[in-house]
Amino acid sequence: MVFRKPPDGGWGWVIVVVSFFTQFLCYGSPLAVGVLYLEWLDAFGEGKGKTAWVGSLANGIGLLASPVCSICVSSFGARPVAIFSGFMVAGGLMMSSFAPNIYFLYISYGIVVGLGCGLLYTATVTITCHYFDKRRGLALGLISTGSSVGLFIYAALQRELIDLYGLDGCLLIVGALSLNILACGSLMRPLESSDSPPPEKTCVDKVPDQYFVYHEKEKTVEENISILEKSYVDEKCANNMPDYKQDSILNKNVLSSINVNEKDTYKKKVVEQTNFCKQLAKRKWQLYLNYWEETVVLFKNKVFSALFVAILLFDIGGFPPSLLMEDVARSANINEDDYHMPLISIIGIMTAVGKLTLGILADFKWVNTLYLYVTTLLMTGVALFAIPFAKSYLTLAVLSGILGFLTGNWSIFPYVTTKTVGIEKLTHAYGILMFFAGLGNSLGPPIVGWFYDWTQEYDTAFYFSGFCVLLGGFLLLLTALPCWNACTNQSSKLPPNTYSYKVASSA
């Protein structure tokens, strides 16, 4: 399939709108799982670390499966993947309403919903990058705010639904709302050129012509038989005399010729089909080898290698507040009468503001998106260090807003990845990076929960979280410094297919 130049508008804005609502509907409940987390703690009576696995899996499993999600989107397209994933998210949420224990939730809410969200996220980001080039930062910022707005609304919505219909009724209603993803996915029309070549042949059609020689030979046998019959009829007409003896002899010869040729043709069919299977297996194995060769080439890019370490550490330390902040406030014995708005809702609305603001900044020529991303990491680490000193609702609300705004760097992460490896390798590279992001998402909340179960306070846990984020930020900063790039360029050259991030150029 040949893609034309991104239009930076037109149907692309429809893609932005439906991608926004897709992320709103699929990520609203998993990101606002902190409200459900308190209910599950009371319902099942398990430890904080054990219960935190449900929310961490829901937000991490889809990212862990990002390489698979990328392959699915590349193979089937964004539209079919989005429609299929809509059924997964809705079904997983509805199944969770019947959960008898925490282990059932690991499957229904953690894996099924999480995998559906991962497929939807990859589909929306990939198709948006195809439709936008100059305004890619703005477009990615707009669609990524969908999950943040979903967090803001679903935090209050789920709490209200729990009060009215209980935990089970809340999950059933939220699952029914997720079915609207099917309508959004149906509008994700792929970007194709009007003069694109006909669809690529299937694997069977791609097999060289020599594997279908037996078809030609079969046809030759049939033609020979028809020629013999035709000459025989002509001869009878010319002589105008029936010759039954000659007729029987000729038919016997023709039949014996057919039997011999059929046996030869059958043997050749078996040989040719065996060769076909061998060639198909070789091609599949070559595709597998090419994938791993491209992966090795990506990791030879030092900025890309530092980027995957940074995103891993950022999600280990930066994701837990969005899941556990409500429990942090309850552990600090903050009076519920002081609550003007759920802390998770504050994180959600400020994340939406951060995604939009950072996405707009990424489109300015004088802004380097890599340095902008590093700045958000360092500031997030400092904010995490300040959480243990917050003992009132006001200070926790301010820190929640700051962390939410800085978490908006998700909107520029695809932009940074594109500038690092190029649009041609975006799907491959982004899938790898999202795998490590999912690993961090899956490990972060349980680690913080285990710290609490061990020490009966959150201070040590957030010191650890802040250290992880700062370490990843400093590592990425050192790798991206111009002096470091100059030294590495003098000592070694990157392979021709590797894209290095040019820090001096504007992003």
Side-chain angles (χ1 to χ4, degrees):
M1 182 179 294
V2 179
F3 295 103
R4 66 171 183 264
K5 184 179 180 181
D8 281 299
W11 191 259
W13 294 119
V14 177
I15 297 296
V16 169
V17 172
V18 297
S19 297
F20 172 90
F21 281 105
T22 297
Q23 293 201 17
F24 171 86
L25 293 167
C26 75
Y27 275 106
S29 180
L31 289 179
V33 73
V35 176
L36 305 176
Y37 171 74
L38 298 178
E39 299 296 324
W40 288 329
L41 280 174
D42 298 334
F44 301 115
E46 302 288 353
K48 294 183 185 294
K50 196 172 184 180
T51 307
W53 271 111
V54 180
S56 63
L57 283 175
N59 288 277
I61 198 70
L63 299 177
L64 282 171
S66 285
V68 178
C69 297
S70 300
I71 293 173
C72 290
V73 174
S74 299
S75 302
F76 304 106
R79 179 190 289 169
V81 170
I83 294 174
F84 174 77
S85 304
F87 282 111
M88 289 187 64
V89 173
L93 289 170
M94 292 180 181
M95 287 170 55
S96 300
S97 64
F98 304 101
N101 51 53
I102 200 71
Y103 303 104
F104 187 90
L105 287 173
Y106 290 164
I107 305 298
S108 62
Y109 198 97
I111 296 179
V112 177
V113 175
L115 186 57
C117 291
L119 288 167
L120 288 168
Y121 182 78
T122 305
T124 54
V125 168
T126 302
I127 196 169
T128 302
C129 288
H130 284 159
Y131 270 87
F132 288 90
D133 183 18
K134 295 179 180 178
R135 298 179 180 177
R136 185 175 295 150
L138 174 61
L140 291 173
L142 287 172
I143 69 167
S144 60
T145 55
S147 58
S148 304
V149 175
L151 169 58
F152 172 73
I153 293 178
Y154 272 72
L157 176 63
Q158 291 185 147
R159 178 172 290 180
E160 188 67 23
L161 290 175
I162 289 172
D163 293 338
L164 293 175
Y165 305 106
L167 179 61
D168 298 342
C170 170
L171 290 170
L172 282 173
I173 295 173
V174 171
L177 289 174
S178 300
L179 289 173
N180 290 285
I181 295 173
L182 307 182
C184 296
S186 64
L187 295 174
M188 293 183 183
R189 187 174 67 195
L191 178 64
E192 299 179 19
S193 60
S194 56
D195 56 346
S196 58
E200 200 171 330
K201 293 183 178 180
T202 60
C203 295
V204 178
D205 294 333
K206 290 181 181 179
V207 180
D209 293 337
Q210 60 264 26
Y211 296 130
F212 296 97
V213 172
Y214 62 86
H215 287 305
E216 297 179 0
K217 292 184 178 179
E218 287 180 350
K219 185 177 180 182
T220 304
V221 171
E222 294 174 356
E223 289 178 350
N224 290 336
I225 294 172
S226 63
I227 292 171
L228 286 172
E229 291 177 346
K230 184 178 180 182
S231 61
Y232 169 66
V233 171
D234 292 341
E235 184 178 355
K236 285 178 65 179
C237 292
N239 296 332
N240 199 16
M241 288 180 62
D243 191 351
Y244 299 104
K245 186 176 181 180
Q246 185 178 359
D247 183 37
S248 61
I249 294 173
L250 182 58
N251 286 336
K252 187 182 294 185
N253 292 334
V254 170
L255 291 173
S256 62
S257 175
I258 292 174
N259 291 332
V260 173
N261 284 314
E262 282 182 351
K263 291 179 181 179
D264 293 340
T265 302
Y266 176 75
K267 292 179 181 179
K268 290 175 181 178
K269 280 184 182 179
V270 174
V271 173
E272 299 302 337
Q273 289 176 355
T274 304
N275 291 334
F276 165 76
C277 294
K278 289 181 180 179
Q279 291 295 325
L280 188 61
K282 287 181 181 179
R283 291 186 181 186
K284 294 295 183 182
W285 178 250
Q286 189 60 42
L287 290 174
Y288 178 80
L289 292 179
N290 291 340
Y291 178 84
W292 286 108
E293 287 176 1
E294 291 176 3
T295 303
V296 171
V297 170
L298 285 174
F299 278 100
K300 289 182 180 180
N301 186 334
K302 293 181 174 59
V303 177
F304 178 82
S305 299
L307 199 60
F308 96 83
V309 175
I311 192 65
L312 171 65
L313 295 176
F314 171 74
D315 280 277
I316 289 177
F319 176 66
S322 62
L323 176 61
L324 304 173
M325 192 61 81
E326 295 292 331
D327 193 52
V328 171
R330 187 167 73 172
S331 301
N333 297 319
I334 295 176
N335 191 352
E336 293 185 0
D337 295 336
D338 296 335
Y339 272 67
H340 303 290
M341 183 184 295
L343 295 175
I344 297 180
S345 295
I346 296 175
I347 293 176
I349 194 62
M350 290 306 297
T351 301
V353 174
K355 287 178 177 179
L356 188 58
T357 304
L358 295 173
I360 293 173
L361 285 176
D363 284 333
F364 287 107
K365 294 182 179 181
W366 51 270
V367 174
N368 188 293
T369 50
L370 183 60
Y371 288 157
L372 179 62
Y373 183 75
V374 169
T375 302
T376 61
L377 294 183
L378 299 179
M379 294 178 66
T380 300
V382 174
L384 289 170
F385 273 115
I387 289 179
F389 301 99
K391 301 301 180 182
S392 65
Y393 173 80
L394 180 61
T395 52
L396 283 176
V398 171
L399 287 175
S400 297
I402 293 173
L403 287 171
F405 181 86
L406 296 173
T407 307
N409 60 9
W410 273 100
S411 67
I412 62 173
F413 189 74
Y415 206 99
V416 173
T417 306
T418 304
K419 289 294 183 180
T420 304
V421 302
I423 188 64
E424 297 84 0
K425 298 186 178 182
L426 172 63
T427 304
H428 185 185
Y430 200 72
I432 295 173
L433 293 173
M434 288 301 99
F435 173 83
F436 290 101
L439 185 62
N441 269 357
S442 301
L443 295 176
I447 289 175
V448 173
W450 290 330
F451 268 114
Y452 184 92
D453 293 336
W454 178 40
T455 62
Q456 295 302 309
E457 46 87 17
Y458 278 112
D459 295 356
T460 306
F462 283 106
Y463 289 145
F464 170 79
S465 298
F467 173 76
C468 288
V469 177
L470 285 176
L471 178 61
F474 278 118
L475 178 64
L476 184 58
L477 177 63
L478 291 175
T479 307
L481 286 175
C483 58
W484 173 257
N485 286 336
C487 295
T488 55
N489 288 336
Q490 291 177 0
S491 59
S492 63
K493 293 184 178 180
L494 293 172
N497 293 330
T498 304
Y499 295 83
S500 61
Y501 194 100
K502 298 180 181 179
V503 179
S505 64
S506 59

